[in-house]
Amino acid sequence: MSWFPEKRTQDSWVHRFCSSILKCGPIPNHVAFIMDGNRRFAKKNSMESAEGHLKGFDKLAETLEWCLHLGIKEVTVYAFSIENFKRSRDEVDCLMELARQKAKLNVCFSYTSREEICTAMRELAEGVEQGLIRETDVSEELLERCLYTNQSVEPDLLIRTSGEVRLSDFLLWQSTFSVLSFLEVLWPDFSIWHMYAAILHYQRSYAGIQDAKEENHRLKDQLSQESDKESILQETICSCGDKDQSEQCCHSDKCDLDLVSLRDKLNRFVGERKQREEEFIQKLNQKRDAFLENKLPARV
Ligand code: FPP
Ligand code: MG
């Protein structure tokens, strides 16, 4: 069964016109959705909650088609948080069945961001304990590579429906530079016009967000270089007899430590650190693949 509606909706000329205007500006590569408001929609229309979720599923299928036409390359949806397990057995079963029947899309199911970050931190601590990486190797970049979403780019735009203005533990780390769009519409009522409005909002915020991202990259590079340099200096014994001295020690008259050899040492150190990190991530991915292989039903 496909995530796309079996009967494709024909684009009206108005939609084609609006899409082509929007495509003159930047289009987000990755959009994340918090699809909220299914039960309020059901109540408003005198339906059972399960029917509200079904309408929500149909809306998801329709929305994926709009995303495809707009040139959005990646979509992440929050289908079920760990908190949602507290709901009634019938409702949980209904959502699980939907996921089972239609799961050809990567969906955040039984997910919370804080659990994801804790797991990543535990993996890093284990890596240090096993000697795969050093404590000083732990950085934002390495933690990011331990998140479940490590194969994805960060969402450029995050849309939440139903009027709630919070992230509900969804992609907290990944949404640092996402444009957030909180819409006053229940998810099953979400229309292409809401989608256009969110993209317009993204386009208006685009320049500011790009500047903030660049500044953040620059700062991260600087921090990483400083941390590598610090580690090297900690290991360096100058001929003046001092260990653990600051870089200035190497400039003193007494000290003949060659700055070129210090630079070589730094390059070697960075190379070795990157290799350690690659091997650690490779092992982590193998462990996760093996876990999923065990959990997923055998393919027929
Ligand atoms: C939030 O609305 C919605 C959910 C908890 C479920 C989201 C699931 C779908 C849209 C169906 C798609 C299913 C899959 C498997 C991808 P709510 O139940 O919190 O409604 P409320 O905010 O009105 O109470
Ligand atoms: Mg809700």
Side-chain angles (χ1 to χ4, degrees), residues 122-293:
R122 242 181 265 127
E123 298 293 357
L124 287 168
E126 216 175 282
V128 172
E129 205 175 283
Q130 292 172 352
L132 295 171
I133 47 170
R134 296 183 189 174
E135 206 179 305
T136 50
D137 295 343
V138 175
S139 63
E140 287 182 25
E141 285 78 15
L142 194 58
L143 192 147
E144 234 157 49
R145 295 183 70 188
C146 298
L147 297 175
Y148 303 139
T149 52
N150 61 50
Q151 309 284 334
S152 286
V153 291
E154 290 166 354
D156 303 296
L157 172 64
L158 189 152
I159 299 175
R160 179 174 190 153
T161 57
S162 92
E164 297 289 341
V165 184
R166 57 200 164 90
L167 291 178
S168 297
D169 223 342
F170 181 53
L171 303 182
L172 298 182
W173 182 288
Q174 298 84 341
S175 61
T176 309
F177 293 105
S178 306
V179 173
L180 307 180
S181 188
F182 296 103
L183 302 172
E184 289 278 347
V185 60
L186 302 176
W187 172 249
D189 283 330
F190 183 71
S191 73
I192 196 161
W193 298 105
H194 295 105
M195 187 76 206
Y196 290 156
I199 290 181
L200 260 180
H201 174 50
Y202 168 76
Q203 294 184 338
R204 277 201 299 267
S205 318
Y206 184 77
I209 297 269
Q210 290 311 107
D211 288 348
K213 269 187 183 173
E214 272 166 33
E215 177 62 9
N216 182 262
H217 275 137
R218 205 184 53 72
L219 268 173
K220 268 188 187 169
D221 281 352
Q222 193 182 325
L223 276 176
S224 161
Q225 281 171 21
E226 277 169 15
S227 154
D228 286 334
K229 215 163 157 186
E230 184 61 31
S231 302
I232 276 292
L233 287 170
Q234 293 282 322
E235 287 179 1
T236 303
I237 304 173
C238 299
S239 58
C240 65
D242 285 336
K243 189 180 184 298
D244 298 346
Q245 289 291 320
S246 72
E247 195 179 5
Q248 269 153 6
C249 175
C250 311
H251 297 298
S252 83
D253 290 344
K254 283 192 287 172
C255 177
D256 62 356
L257 184 75
D258 177 6
L259 279 181
V260 177
S261 74
L262 198 65
R263 211 165 295 131
D264 285 349
K265 221 171 165 184
L266 185 63
N267 287 340
R268 211 173 324 120
F269 178 86
V270 173
E272 284 167 5
R273 172 174 63 74
K274 288 192 172 158
Q275 197 178 336
R276 274 196 303 278
E277 291 174 1
E278 285 313 314
E279 283 171 13
F280 164 70
I281 293 292
Q282 211 180 336
K283 283 210 168 90
L284 175 63
N285 288 338
Q286 282 166 359
K287 187 171 88 175
R288 286 183 174 171
D289 286 348
F291 173 81
L292 282 177
E293 203 64 32

Side-chain angles (χ1 to χ4, degrees), residues 3 35-41 53 56-57 60 77-80 84 87 91 95 98-99 107 109 162 186-187:
W3 283 96
M35 310 174 287
D36 198 18
N38 290 353
R39 292 183 302 182
R40 275 168 277 172
F41 173 88
H53 291 311
F57 178 82
L60 172 59
V77 294
Y78 202 12
F80 201 84
N84 289 151
R87 293 186 177 188
E91 192 176 345
L95 286 165
L98 265 180
V107 175
F109 212 90
S162 92
L186 302 176
W187 172 249

Side-chain angles (χ1 to χ4, degrees), residues 38 49-59 94 98 102:
N38 290 353
S49 293
E51 209 177 328
H53 291 311
L54 270 173
K55 294 279 178 210
F57 178 82
D58 290 344
K59 184 54 67 180
C94 153
L98 265 180
K102 321 211 179 200

